[in-house]
Amino acid sequence: MALVNYLPKDTQIVEEVDANGNSAYYLVFSLSKDLISEGFTYRYKVNDLAAISDTAGAVTPDAVITGVDGKYETISGSLDGITDDEYARSFYFGSYGQLRTVYEQLGQEAQENAQSYDYLIEALNQEAETKPWILSTDSKGRYDYLAVVLEAALEGRTARESDFEKTTWWKTHNENQRQQIQAQATDPSTWEKNQRNIRDSIMTQMIAAGIQTYPVAVINKLVEKYGSGEFTEADVSNSILKLANPRLRYELDPEVQAALAGQTLDVIESTTQIRNAIDAAMGPGASQYYDLEDIANERQANPQWYNETFLPGLAEQFQAKFTQYQGTNIKRYEDAAPEYRYEWENITGQKADETSSVWRRFMATNDIKEREDIAFQEAARLGTQTYRDKVRRDMEIAFGQAGQRATGGGRYQ
């Protein structure tokens, strides 16, 4: 019975039977020793053999293997070019459904001639989006994580923590992130379940925030960041709120920005620096009116222009916009804003929306009383607690406290 077209042509199927007679099915692949000197066997789990058949019914496993305490013995059938020992040392990637995504990203010619080597290269790239340690490289560009996995496999064991400590990724990440390597390597089923739970939680939060659709790359990046321990729950929550409302002052992580924009991290980091410089000089949101990539390219080609012309030009624009600062040493929005923020929060009891026209009016006037009126009117519109408290105090001053008799100390006796 033929397999569905998105599986590599050299796919082999194993039925694993545990000591209790329960079956699990795996799609198994082996790279030739001509490609990797040590050889490399890897597998994906499939829950329903009928799902990988291109006709009605289920496919038949090539081999049935019984496994007890990590030791395997073939009891029927055989695997082409893969020994029981190589199967026991195989690298577990996850669910077979990932192979369909890999297939769809291969070009037509690659699809027609797809072998496990093509799939492995693409699969590694995709897996590294949520498991960045897979493609960890040392200072010479060698894949040190894969080397650790292969070395352990050749010795008939799974990689130990002491093996992972040799990798660049391990050395450059925190303890929570390191634990993910161990969990993924030693208990992949539990690790995969936790990742699904994290994804479900993030998508639920996004829907609750009013987000109906977002690139899968953004969701993957949030799952990776939280699942690896790099993000806290607060980081995830703030990121989702920012995605739902881009006007919030919270700054997205550069890698999340890159996933959102479909750009490389290098582009995001360079344009983020420029955006921050513009917003610091002119106010939040001002950067949306500039071509950030064009400025980034010009800065790379001519750093002198950026430092001696572009940045001083922003200072001139700021003083032209806020004329009260002309001829002073205040040349950037961020130099002037803290005093206004303090004043606004004192009047309203909450932070200002610094992209709003109300805030711009508030900051543009030198008249303290006028600023108080502007802020108080906004507090009234929003119904802030500070506004309600002030109204209550004013009423008590004018008419006495609630329930107070006029002859008992009120204003009118």
Side-chain angles (χ1 to χ4, degrees), residues 31 35-42 89-91 120 124 143-159 163-164:
L31 292 189
L35 295 172
I36 295 181
S37 59
E38 301 91 347
F40 186 63
T41 301
Y42 61 106
R89 302 194 307 259
S90 61
F91 187 88
L120 178 65
L124 286 173
Y143 293 101
D144 51 8
Y145 172 81
L146 289 177
V148 162
V149 172
L150 288 171
E151 181 181 354
L154 289 170
E155 296 174 4
R157 60 179 177 81
T158 57
D163 297 315
F164 292 129

Side-chain angles (χ1 to χ4, degrees), residues 108-248:
Q108 182 176 353
E109 183 178 352
Q111 289 177 352
E112 294 172 354
N113 301 290
Q115 296 295 326
S116 61
Y117 181 70
D118 302 316
Y119 274 75
L120 178 65
I121 299 303
E122 186 61 32
L124 286 173
N125 287 329
Q126 290 193 27
E127 291 295 319
E129 290 183 6
T130 53
K131 307 169 193 172
W133 54 82
I134 286 180
L135 294 183
S136 169
T137 56
D138 62 18
S139 59
K140 296 182 179 179
R142 295 173 298 195
Y143 293 101
D144 51 8
Y145 172 81
L146 289 177
V148 162
V149 172
L150 288 171
E151 181 181 354
L154 289 170
E155 296 174 4
R157 60 179 177 81
T158 57
R160 297 183 291 261
E161 183 171 313
S162 58
D163 297 315
F164 292 129
E165 288 176 358
K166 303 173 186 176
T167 68
T168 302
W169 194 91
W170 181 283
K171 295 173 183 176
T172 56
H173 289 76
N174 63 41
E175 184 59 29
N176 285 337
Q177 295 167 306
R178 292 167 180 168
Q179 288 174 1
Q180 296 303 311
I181 287 184
Q182 283 294 84
Q184 195 268 343
T186 60
D187 190 359
S189 296
T190 300
W191 184 90
E192 188 176 325
K193 180 180 178 181
N194 288 340
Q195 295 299 298
R196 287 198 301 271
N197 290 340
I198 290 170
R199 179 178 295 273
D200 290 344
S201 173
I202 287 173
M203 293 183 72
T204 298
Q205 290 181 61
M206 293 178 82
I207 292 171
I211 300 173
Q212 298 301 319
T213 58
Y214 250 104
V216 173
V218 173
I219 299 172
N220 287 346
K221 185 58 64 175
L222 291 174
V223 171
E224 173 207 323
K225 291 281 188 179
Y226 183 66
S228 70
E230 186 175 346
F231 268 17
T232 64
E233 288 186 14
D235 292 327
V236 172
S237 177
N238 288 334
S239 297
I240 291 172
L241 291 174
K242 176 68 173 182
L243 291 170
N245 181 7
R247 299 175 67 182
L248 292 179

Side-chain angles (χ1 to χ4, degrees), residues 3 25 60 66 94 100 119 139 160 162 167 182 215 233-234 290 355 364 393-394:
L3 299 176
Y25 300 97
T60 303
T66 184
R100 185 183 188 98
Y119 274 75
S139 59
R160 297 183 291 261
S162 58
T167 68
Q182 283 294 84
E233 288 186 14
Y290 292 76
T355 63
R393 285 196 304 272
D394 290 346

Side-chain angles (χ1 to χ4, degrees), residues 80-95:
D80 184 18
I82 303 174
T83 66
D84 299 344
D85 191 41
E86 288 170 335
Y87 176 78
R89 302 194 307 259
S90 61
F91 187 88
Y92 174 75
F93 266 119
S95 168

Side-chain angles (χ1 to χ4, degrees), residues 345-404:
E345 290 177 29
N346 252 2
I347 299 169
T348 67
Q350 65 181 37
K351 295 182 182 298
D353 175 0
E354 296 185 28
T355 63
S356 68
S357 59
V358 173
W359 171 259
R360 287 194 293 271
R361 283 173 48 222
F362 176 83
M363 193 168 168
T365 178
N366 278 327
D367 190 315
I368 296 176
K369 186 64 174 70
E370 184 179 356
R371 284 203 300 272
E372 182 178 344
D373 290 343
I374 292 171
F376 193 68
Q377 285 172 11
E378 183 67 2
R381 186 183 71 82
L382 297 173
T384 68
Q385 186 63 47
T386 301
Y387 169 75
R388 291 196 294 270
D389 290 346
K390 185 177 186 305
V391 170
R392 180 170 183 148
R393 285 196 304 272
D394 290 346
M395 294 291 286
E396 289 175 351
I397 291 171
F399 303 110
Q401 296 182 358
Q404 186 176 20

